[in-house]
Amino acid sequence: MADQIPLHPVPRSTQRRAAYYTNASAAQRHNRYQIEDESSHLDEMPLMMSEEGFENDESDYHTLPRARVSQRKRGLEWFICGGWKFLCTSCCDWLINICRRKKELRARTVWLGCPEKCEEKYPRNAIKNQKYNIFTFIPGFVPALKIGYLYTYWAPLGFVLAVTVLREAVDEFRRYQRDKEMNSQLYSKLTLRGKVQVKSSDIQVGDLIIVEKNQRIPSDMVFLRTSEKTGSCFIRTDQLDGETDWKLKVAVSCTQRLPALGDLFSISAYVYAQKPQMDIHSFEGTFTREDSDPAVHESLSIENTLWASTVVASGTVIGVVIYTGKETRSVMNTSNPKNKVGLLDLELNQLTKALFLALVALSVVMVTLQGFVGPWYRNLFRFLLLFSYIIPISLRVNLDMGKAAYGWMIMKDDNIPGTVVRTSTIPEELGRLVYLLTDKTGTLTQNEMIFKRLHLGTVSYGTDTMDEIQNHITTSYSQMNSQSSTNSTSSTPSRKIQSSAPKVRKTVSTRIHEAVKAIALCHNVTPVYESRTGVTGETEYAEVDQDFSDENRAYQASSPDEVALVQWTESVGLTLVSRDLTSMQLKTPSGQILTYYILQIFPFTSESKRMGIIVRDESTGEITFYMKGADVAMSTIVQYNDWLEEECGNMAREGLRTLVVAKKSLTEEQYQDFENRYNQAKLSIHDRALKVAAVVESLEREMELLCLTGVEDQLQADVRPTLEMLRNAGIKIWMLTGDKLETATCIAKSSHLVSRTQDIHIFRPVTSRGEAHLELNAFRRKHDCALVISGDSLEVCLKYYEHEFVELACQCPAVVCCRCSPTQKAHIVKLLQHHTGKRTCAIGDGGNDVSMIQAADCGIGIEGKEGKQASLAADFSITQFKHIGRLLMVHGRNSYKRSAALGQFVMHRGLIISTMQAVFSSVFYFASVPLYQGFLMVGYATIYTMFPVFSLVLDQDVKPEMALLYPELYKDLTKGRSLSFKTFFIWVLISIYQGGILMYGALLLFESEFVHVVAISFTALILTELLMVALTIRTWHCLMVVAEVFSLCCYLASLAFLNEYFGIGRVSFGAFLDVAFITTVTFLWKVSAITVVSCLPLYILKYLKRKFSPPSYSKLTS
């Protein structure tokens, strides 16, 4: 890192510091394997803000850990400034912790088949996905009451609450039924008396459980026996880690070798297992059999485990239960779903609180102006009730109905078929998103690999020239057949001569032959066959020898790339027909079977980035070491060449995943020497991994480069334009994937998540605080580049430099996190929410994305190949990634804009009538007398104005086509300008102006017929409200016109029938049946005059505003 420092003339103190950095990085290289963190030094090594850090003496110290900068407030000041809050929460937390003290997780010894021998009590093996219990069900809805919606209108409030409770109760009951179904699945348990059927929820630690094919594994187990001859079986893990390929698991050899199933009880054995952990990719334990002489010890790793929620894909397995219930890996990786509340609801809540304060203030002012005469507290209470219309009770009803309407519109949209709204309370969130966190496999890509390119250095083959390869393979194998028949007698000597002969330039045919053979042998793929004996109608997978026919063969491997390669060799004529732990067989184009013995296999790891295999050809006895891997790992291993780097670059630019294939022939002596050293290294206790790697590396020298392959993971339809649209809309996209770094980077480029011109900064693996520090400084100097980081490095950075890391990452145009566990994905979502305060959206398709989807403000699930788990847990479920564009740009926009308009209008409706009441009271010597009687008030909020106001949910400011064509319009929404204290304040002013005009106008114009004040002012009020709705609407819809006309008709009809209400005080029925007055011209012109004065200025202002400062979208629509 010190080499990248700009060489400026450096002041002395800076030289000292630069030298310190150099030493630090050198020391870091030496201490790579020391766990010791030199944290004391590092506190003096602040993260640097900029490049100038090296020139400017003080600038290093910009980002000292925050705690030091902000000085602590002491004493009373601290207590007043929020200390009391802190103390209260601390006490509450302490009480809660005492009540819910968690049991400490410990390592355990589990005796086979003897649950009674367990030292402690372990949790029940029951699945529980319910959100509530008997005590938390009703309090769960108190937030729905919120301040403000409580005061009057108990009927609508009770109705809303009843509907909410009922909806949640139905959902909760469904969850309970699903859990019950899972918990009552039956399994066979092995006991001394034979097999016993046991419910999933009754399984205990130490039980021996038999799991049949296609059955879910009920708890975490160690794999003891299988019905398969090979001693191994496949399991499907798609509901645990989201990967669709099958995983190979190996039974404990000591128990697999026992002659019969019942012998498991005749031996005395136990499993020692580490304490329950979240990591699904690792396990440490030992298996010990005591009664043999000497005692048998076997080390257990991840390949000996069967985790809960996975499914057995081949054979029948027997395992001993080691973790149950809450301690299983799958439950530990699931976060509890939270009840999501939209940002708009929180904002409206703030405004409602402000209105509540205004209500109290207004009432106090009225009582004060009265002069606190008489029983003033009773008057205060009466004023509170009179002005209670300031608090918009019907807001909740209107918004909930609006949300239901948006959900219905989303599900009925023909452009995004199959979309389901599962959480109806947050459609507005879709219009406020700033961060989109997406999974890769199955979300951006289809998870289908296709072999595209084979490059041999001098010649390259694409999809259109594969038939040439097929011809070469057919001819070379037929030549070999003829040679082997003539040379059968002298095969051994000929080979000896061959090895010592000088190197001759090989023909293209030979090179293709060797490359294809290497690809067909160097992998961990297993062919499985469906046997035709489907009497029960079920297809049976078994590794059988009898039926090698092509049509019922399927390949299983830990990565879809490997399958694509083996399928390709089959298409050119060299077919993998069978494989077990010690050998594999290939079929040539002529149908001849070639057998190869597997001597050693070196699996792929994310550190080595390569996999190797040593095989012995049965017919010739030749030993060959084949290796394939990423170009970065292989370029130093293969012999010198001038084309590899360039071609890898070319393929990566096409979006292909590249693998370099190489080989090395070994003599018997070389192999024996290697095997001895390798076995010795495998037995060492200290630094085992290092020693093993060193021995393998001794072979990985001067290997012969055979070919370069290119495989394509096809993207989902329209991923590129969708990502581009989201980027233009100002949404920052983070890709969180469990996949390899190379693959993730490759997909990020090919999907245009990272644009072609952008640099990519790959964050080097870091393990300690010092390394993280140096690497973050290196990253800080990069500008406008995408970040690629692995899960492990991320963990280290967040441990020591959380704030700095998030701050840097948020400035990146795109971030890719690879090798992420499900919990890490959820953790990243929470970090973004906490540090930026912006709204996040997570989108995924597998069981491994559920935690992330539940943690985000808005979770979207895709119904994919990986099952429906993600789409069931999500708030919105879609069928394709491309639908997200319309969901956000069109429906998100409309939902937010409409709800904002609706919310503010409902508030305005309450404020205007409260203003009129205030004016009325103040004119009449601050008397706490109601202006309008009961039915008028109820009618005002319901039948007279409800339909026009609610018709605002049909309003739209921009046509859908426009919103999709100019995604930049979305940026305005995230600023939250449609509903803010500013817009709210404008509505308050409008309400005060209109309320004042209506009341004063009525009092001024009707001094003679004073009894008609109510009739006039109320009529003008209703007309004003209807005109205001018309003023607010941006795009007219036929239903809006119907609503306006209908409301007006309702009002006119009620004028005739409910005449006794339109006077002051209730005089006996019929006293003011003054139809004659209502129909006079005077009444009409005076009402019209008041209405015009209250509305016309607003129309003029709106016209001027649109003329001189039009909103961004109007420029487009004009």
Side-chain angles (χ1 to χ4, degrees):
M1 200 204 92
D3 319 335
Q4 300 162 11
I5 296 168
L7 299 174
H8 302 287
V10 187
R12 292 206 75 125
S13 58
T14 320
Q15 282 179 344
R16 260 202 320 277
R17 197 160 51 245
Y20 176 76
Y21 271 79
T22 325
N23 296 343
S25 54
Q28 214 51 57
R29 281 196 290 279
H30 293 310
N31 297 356
R32 177 61 58 89
Y33 301 106
Q34 284 185 14
I35 299 158
E36 174 77 9
D37 262 333
E38 314 95 358
S39 35
S40 50
H41 295 305
L42 291 163
D43 287 346
E44 302 153 23
M45 274 174 57
L47 276 176
M48 294 171 53
M49 291 300 280
S50 63
E51 270 185 33
E52 290 81 54
F54 275 107
E55 296 139 55
N56 185 346
D57 242 8
E58 277 76 39
S59 69
D60 298 25
Y61 293 91
H62 285 334
T63 49
L64 276 169
R66 294 207 145 191
R68 304 224 183 114
V69 180
S70 61
Q71 289 178 350
R72 279 282 175 80
K73 292 174 181 166
R74 294 263 170 251
L76 191 64
E77 187 193 355
W78 173 81
F79 187 79
I80 293 166
C81 293
W84 63 275
K85 247 188 204 169
F86 172 75
L87 288 175
C88 292
T89 42
S90 308
C91 295
C92 293
D93 289 348
W94 180 74
L95 280 170
I96 288 168
N97 283 339
I98 284 189
C99 300
R100 296 168 52 182
R101 180 161 288 168
K102 277 195 176 169
K103 203 183 72 188
E104 193 188 340
L105 299 174
R106 295 206 194 98
R108 57 196 58 183
T109 301
V110 180
W111 290 84
L112 266 58
C114 306
E116 63 282 351
K117 280 195 187 177
C118 291
E119 300 113 30
E120 51 184 304
K121 200 172 183 304
Y122 298 115
R124 274 189 76 220
N125 192 42
I127 292 172
K128 187 172 186 291
N129 285 313
Q130 284 137 265
K131 279 189 192 175
Y132 309 102
N133 59 34
I134 197 82
F135 300 108
T136 58
F137 185 66
I138 292 299
F141 301 104
V142 174
L145 302 174
K146 298 203 181 79
I147 178 169
Y149 307 151
L150 257 168
Y151 295 88
T152 44
Y153 283 174
W154 286 105
L157 189 65
F159 173 71
V160 173
L161 201 58
V163 169
T164 314
V165 169
L166 191 70
R167 189 180 64 199
E168 278 296 333
V170 169
D171 285 353
E172 187 70 356
F173 181 65
R174 283 189 187 144
R175 280 192 284 268
Y176 163 74
Q177 280 188 311
R178 277 207 300 270
D179 292 347
K180 192 177 168 190
E181 189 186 332
M182 294 289 266
N183 288 329
S184 51
Q185 283 178 354
L186 292 175
Y187 290 88
S188 301
K189 170 172 147 183
L190 213 58
T191 61
L192 284 166
R193 300 187 303 284
K195 290 183 189 176
V196 182
Q197 291 288 304
V198 58
K199 274 188 187 173
S200 170
S201 55
D202 297 336
I203 289 173
Q204 295 171 300
V205 172
D207 281 346
L208 296 174
I209 302 293
I210 301 172
V211 186
E212 301 291 337
K213 190 182 152 197
N214 289 333
Q215 212 178 3
R216 184 183 73 89
I217 293 171
S219 58
D220 289 356
M221 312 200 291
V222 166
F223 182 15
L224 299 178
R225 277 181 80 86
T226 170
S227 58
E228 303 278 293
K229 294 197 294 286
T230 53
S232 60
C233 80
F234 282 105
I235 62 167
R236 291 198 291 271
T237 61
D238 49 351
Q239 293 304 319
L240 183 65
D241 59 11
E243 294 179 17
T244 47
D245 47 280
W246 295 4
K247 307 283 185 296
L248 186 74
K249 297 289 179 179
V250 182
V252 176
S253 56
C254 174
T255 46
Q256 178 66 25
R257 284 198 302 265
L258 294 173
L261 199 53
D263 295 341
L264 284 170
F265 282 102
S266 63
I267 64 170
S268 164
Y270 63 85
V271 168
Y272 172 80
Q274 64 183 147
K275 68 177 187 187
Q277 289 183 337
M278 292 174 91
D279 186 3
I280 53 177
H281 299 299
S282 72
F283 174 72
E284 285 174 14
T286 52
F287 174 88
T288 308
R289 181 178 173 181
E290 286 189 330
D291 57 356
S292 62
D293 192 35
V296 178
H297 298 283
E298 257 187 74
S299 78
L300 303 176
S301 68
I302 185 69
E303 60 177 17
N304 307 111
T305 58
L306 304 166
W307 294 148
S309 296
T310 57
V311 176
V312 179
S314 65
T316 303
V317 302
I318 293 102
V320 59
V321 176
I322 50 170
Y323 309 122
T324 51
K326 292 195 290 256
E327 295 177 343
T328 60
R329 294 291 205 265
S330 62
V331 175
M332 290 181 87
N333 272 291
T334 329
S335 54
N336 290 331
K338 58 171 184 177
N339 282 336
K340 297 185 183 181
V341 180
L343 186 58
L344 183 103
D345 293 321
L346 297 173
E347 289 168 343
L348 283 170
N349 213 20
Q350 294 295 335
L351 299 182
T352 313
K353 285 174 186 168
L355 288 173
F356 176 67
L357 293 176
L359 162 70
V360 175
L362 185 60
S363 305
V364 170
V365 166
M366 284 292 181
V367 175
T368 311
L369 291 171
Q370 258 185 354
F372 290 105
V373 284
W376 61 269
Y377 46 86
R378 189 190 303 159
N379 287 340
L380 176 68
F381 195 71
R382 290 189 64 173
F383 276 123
L384 281 172
L385 283 177
L386 274 182
F387 296 136
S388 67
Y389 277 85
I390 288 181
I391 305 284
I393 300 98
S394 54
L395 184 58
R396 184 82 192 169
V397 189
N398 276 304
L399 279 181
D400 276 2
M401 283 161 53
K403 288 169 197 277
Y406 311 142
W408 186 81
M409 289 172 197
I410 291 172
M411 294 206 263
K412 283 277 168 280
D413 187 345
D414 294 334
N415 295 298
I416 47 173
T419 305
V420 183
V421 178
R422 296 190 196 278
T423 307
S424 56
T425 51
I426 55 169
E428 300 91 1
E429 290 293 273
L430 294 169
R432 308 288 297 275
L433 302 174
V434 180
Y435 289 97
L436 176 74
L437 300 105
T438 167
D439 177 37
K440 176 186 74 72
T441 315
T443 304
L444 297 178
T445 67
Q446 296 178 15
N447 206 12
E448 281 179 6
M449 305 292 169
I450 294 170
F451 189 93
K452 286 279 183 185
R453 182 74 48 89
L454 180 74
H455 205 295
L456 299 169
T458 51
V459 57
S460 165
Y461 294 95
T463 37
D464 44 354
T465 49
M466 291 298 177
D467 50 341
E468 289 184 33
I469 298 184
Q470 203 170 346
N471 298 337
H472 283 302
I473 293 290
T474 315
T475 50
S476 66
Y477 271 108
S478 55
Q479 280 172 5
M480 276 179 67
N481 278 355
S482 56
Q483 274 181 3
S484 63
S485 55
T486 53
N487 278 9
S488 56
T489 48
S490 59
S491 69
T492 353
S494 71
R495 201 172 78 248
K496 284 278 191 289
I497 298 158
Q498 210 175 9
S499 59
S500 59
K503 282 188 179 174
V504 183
R505 191 170 176 90
K506 293 174 177 168
T507 62
V508 172
S509 186
T510 321
R511 283 162 59 201
I512 288 177
H513 172 93
E514 289 190 355
V516 173
K517 185 164 87 174
I519 295 170
L521 289 172
C522 185
H523 52 70
N524 61 4
V525 182
T526 309
V528 286
Y529 293 90
E530 279 182 44
S531 63
R532 301 289 172 75
T533 57
V535 186
T536 54
E538 273 193 18
T539 55
E540 279 291 321
Y541 277 112
E543 297 169 35
V544 286
D545 322 277
Q546 70 277 12
D547 188 6
F548 280 165
S549 61
D550 293 345
E551 61 272 8
N552 60 347
R553 181 188 310 108
Y555 293 114
Q556 283 307 332
S558 61
S559 112
D561 304 57
E562 301 242 276
V563 176
L565 292 171
V566 174
Q567 280 173 336
W568 174 77
T569 63
E570 178 182 357
S571 72
V572 296
L574 196 59
T575 311
L576 174 71
V577 287
S578 81
R579 174 179 187 147
D580 53 34
L581 295 175
T582 56
S583 69
M584 63 175 113
Q585 293 180 308
L586 302 180
K587 188 167 77 174
T588 65
S590 60
Q592 182 191 359
I593 300 283
L594 308 172
T595 304
Y596 293 87
Y597 297 117
I598 301 170
L599 303 178
Q600 297 289 351
I601 190 156
F602 314 111
F604 183 94
T605 64
S606 48
E607 290 77 47
S608 69
K609 298 185 175 55
R610 53 189 183 267
M611 74 146 298
I613 188 168
I614 302 180
V615 294
R616 185 198 298 266
D617 186 339
E618 185 196 39
S619 57
T620 62
E622 281 178 22
I623 300 176
T624 316
F625 173 35
Y626 289 107
M627 179 161 258
K628 69 165 188 237
D631 51 314
V632 278
M634 298 291 288
S635 55
T636 53
I637 292 173
V638 296
Q639 294 165 346
Y640 173 77
N641 61 78
D642 52 6
W643 59 273
L644 184 62
E645 194 178 344
E646 186 188 344
E647 287 307 328
C648 282
N650 292 341
M651 284 196 195
R653 277 189 285 281
E654 290 176 45
L656 299 180
R657 301 159 67 137
T658 53
L659 282 173
V660 179
V661 185
K663 78 163 197 179
K664 183 178 194 175
S665 297
L666 302 177
T667 62
E668 192 67 49
E669 298 79 41
Q670 281 173 324
Y671 174 68
Q672 286 306 329
D673 170 52
F674 165 78
E675 192 178 32
N676 294 338
R677 287 182 297 133
Y678 186 65
N679 289 342
Q680 229 168 338
K682 277 210 300 199
L683 290 171
S684 63
I685 294 167
H686 302 295
D687 297 334
R688 181 188 299 181
L690 279 176
K691 289 178 182 169
V692 168
V695 174
V696 176
E697 270 173 31
S698 67
L699 273 188
E700 298 170 351
R701 296 197 183 128
E702 287 295 300
M703 296 188 71
E704 181 189 338
L705 174 58
L706 296 177
C707 66
L708 176 65
T709 63
V711 173
E712 182 182 45
D713 184 359
Q714 290 190 304
L715 292 173
Q716 293 251 8
D718 293 338
V719 160
R720 288 176 190 149
T722 306
L723 286 177
E724 202 157 317
M725 180 198 293
L726 295 173
R727 227 188 359 254
N728 293 340
I731 295 173
K732 292 191 171 174
I733 304 166
W734 289 36
M735 183 165 91
L736 313 180
T737 172
D739 222 324
K740 303 196 289 285
L741 189 134
E742 290 75 26
T743 318
T745 317
C746 179
I747 295 294
K749 284 178 187 164
S750 66
S751 65
H752 295 185
L753 174 75
V754 177
S755 59
R756 303 218 154 182
T757 51
Q758 259 167 11
D759 285 340
I760 291 186
H761 177 82
I762 294 183
F763 205 88
R764 289 212 301 270
V766 295
T767 50
S768 67
R769 182 171 179 169
E771 291 179 0
H773 188 108
L774 295 168
E775 192 53 36
L776 278 169
N777 273 343
F779 174 44
R780 199 185 276 281
R781 292 194 200 93
K782 299 274 182 82
H783 294 292
D784 189 51
C785 70
L787 170 68
V788 179
I789 184 167
S790 72
D792 307 338
S793 307
L794 181 73
E795 201 72 19
V796 176
C797 291
L798 294 180
K799 188 173 167 188
Y800 299 113
Y801 297 111
E802 182 179 292
H803 179 77
E804 287 84 352
F805 175 78
V806 178
E807 196 181 358
L808 283 174
C810 288
Q811 291 164 10
C812 293
V815 178
V816 177
C817 301
C818 50
R819 291 280 170 211
C820 267
S821 68
T823 355
Q824 261 179 334
K825 290 184 179 186
H827 184 53
I828 293 168
V829 172
K830 287 174 189 155
L831 267 180
L832 282 176
Q833 289 168 339
H834 173 66
H835 280 276
T836 63
K838 299 282 196 289
R839 304 317 264 178
T840 56
C841 170
I843 176 165
D845 69 322
N848 58 330
D849 304 316
V850 169
S851 300
M852 157 173 92
I853 285 172
Q854 287 175 340
D857 297 301
C858 169
I860 300 179
I862 296 184
E863 287 186 20
K865 293 190 173 141
E866 303 188 359
K868 283 195 172 184
Q869 204 173 350
S871 76
L872 289 171
D875 305 307
F876 301 91
S877 157
I878 57 180
T879 50
Q880 281 183 302
F881 184 80
K882 65 176 178 183
H883 292 167
I884 195 175
R886 190 176 176 89
L887 194 62
L888 303 189
M889 301 301 124
V890 177
H891 294 289
R893 178 186 191 84
N894 287 344
S895 301
Y896 170 56
K897 287 272 192 181
R898 289 162 175 173
S899 280
L902 181 65
Q904 291 180 112
F905 207 93
V906 171
M907 288 177 173
H908 155 77
R909 192 171 67 182
L911 276 168
I912 190 170
I913 205 163
S914 299
T915 308
M916 291 172 75
Q917 175 72 54
V919 170
F920 178 75
S921 288
S922 48
V923 168
F924 290 99
Y925 313 104
F926 310 106
S928 48
V929 178
L931 168 60
Y932 299 131
Q933 295 302 326
F935 183 79
L936 284 188
M937 292 304 285
V938 173
Y940 169 66
T942 53
I943 192 100
Y944 300 148
T945 60
M946 186 175 84
F947 296 109
V949 171
F950 187 68
S951 72
L952 288 172
V953 303
L954 298 168
D955 190 21
Q956 58 179 31
D957 56 348
V958 179
K959 285 198 168 69
E961 299 72 42
M962 233 15 157
L964 290 167
L965 189 60
Y966 298 104
E968 290 76 6
L969 292 172
Y970 189 87
K971 286 181 190 170
D972 283 353
L973 305 182
T974 53
K975 294 170 185 157
R977 288 179 182 162
S978 301
L979 176 73
S980 59
F981 272 103
K982 181 184 164 189
T983 58
F984 170 65
F985 191 61
I986 290 170
W987 274 107
V988 172
L989 292 179
I990 291 174
S991 308
I992 292 172
Y993 165 75
Q994 289 187 329
I997 291 289
L998 292 172
M999 202 63 235
Y1000 277 120
L1003 293 170
L1004 281 173
L1005 296 178
F1006 292 98
E1007 61 287 322
S1008 52
E1009 317 95 337
F1010 190 71
V1011 285
H1012 300 308
V1013 167
V1014 173
I1016 305 302
S1017 62
F1018 197 78
T1019 308
L1021 172 64
I1022 296 294
L1023 289 174
T1024 300
E1025 281 296 279
L1026 296 181
L1027 285 169
M1028 283 302 291
V1029 171
L1031 178 69
T1032 312
I1033 286 170
R1034 288 162 292 213
T1035 312
W1036 281 86
H1037 187 285
C1038 56
L1039 286 176
M1040 294 173 169
V1041 183
V1042 171
E1044 293 262 335
V1045 174
F1046 175 73
S1047 297
L1048 194 58
C1049 294
C1050 284
Y1051 179 65
L1052 294 173
S1054 64
L1055 269 183
F1057 297 118
L1058 302 170
N1059 213 282
E1060 85 266 25
Y1061 282 107
F1062 293 97
I1064 294 178
R1066 294 218 185 166
V1067 191
S1068 62
F1069 184 69
F1072 298 110
L1073 199 63
D1074 203 347
V1075 180
F1077 165 65
I1078 290 170
T1079 50
T1080 56
V1081 176
T1082 330
F1083 174 81
L1084 293 176
W1085 86 254
K1086 289 187 173 180
V1087 166
S1088 308
I1090 294 175
T1091 311
V1092 165
V1093 174
S1094 82
C1095 290
L1096 192 63
L1098 296 176
Y1099 270 83
I1100 295 168
L1101 282 172
K1102 182 180 178 181
Y1103 173 76
L1104 292 174
K1105 186 171 185 291
R1106 287 211 66 141
K1107 187 117 183 91
F1108 294 113
S1109 101
S1112 49
Y1113 58 83
S1114 62
K1115 299 168 191 167
L1116 301 173
T1117 45
S1118 60

